Amino acid sequence: MGNPTVSREGHAMSFIQIVEYETDRADEIAAAMNEQQMPPAEEVPGFRRMAVAQDRDNPKRYLVIVEFDSYEQAMANSDKPETDAMAKRLSAMVTKGPTYSNLDVLQAQP
């Protein structure tokens, strides 16, 4: 496993990517994500966690939040052909988006 990115202050930083989209096909997207043969988390270098959230004020709006130990590990995962194929498949099911936010974590609490 690679070393985590270090902030200017010398602290280890993780990396979060947020994928935002709107859809009328949430059940189909959830089914596609569930059927994909994802390797166990411990086999994806640097993977920490993933959450899918739905906006209470706009129930067609979703955010997928994925955290890695580092930006480099997240990009290595994004560069995999199976990750790209799944992103294209899911993009075909959205009415707006997806948009990506790439965030270095500067401070976190458990």
Side-chain angles (χ1 to χ4, degrees), residues 1 37-49 66-69 73-74 76-78 80 82-83:
M1 193 181 299
Q37 296 299 314
M38 294 275 300
E42 60 271 7
E43 293 180 18
V44 180
F47 176 80
R48 290 189 180 186
R49 65 187 177 118
V66 185
E67 185 173 7
F68 281 85
D69 287 339
Q73 289 170 319
N77 185 67
S78 291
K80 293 180 180 177
E82 58 270 25
T83 302

Side-chain angles (χ1 to χ4, degrees), residues 50-63:
M50 180 187 80
V52 179
Q54 182 180 26
D55 187 333
R56 284 183 168 263
D57 298 322
N58 177 0
K60 293 182 179 188
R61 181 174 170 246
Y62 294 83
L63 294 102

Side-chain angles (χ1 to χ4, degrees), residues 19-23 62 87 90-100:
V19 182
E20 181 179 348
Y21 60 90
E22 290 187 14
T23 187
Y62 294 83
L90 297 177
S91 291
M93 294 185 227
V94 304
T95 55
K96 183 178 179 184
T99 59
Y100 297 85

Side-chain angles (χ1 to χ4, degrees), residues 8-19:
R8 284 171 270 168
E9 294 80 24
H11 304 298
M13 290 189 309
S14 63
F15 172 81
I16 292 175
Q17 184 173 70
I18 299 174
V19 182

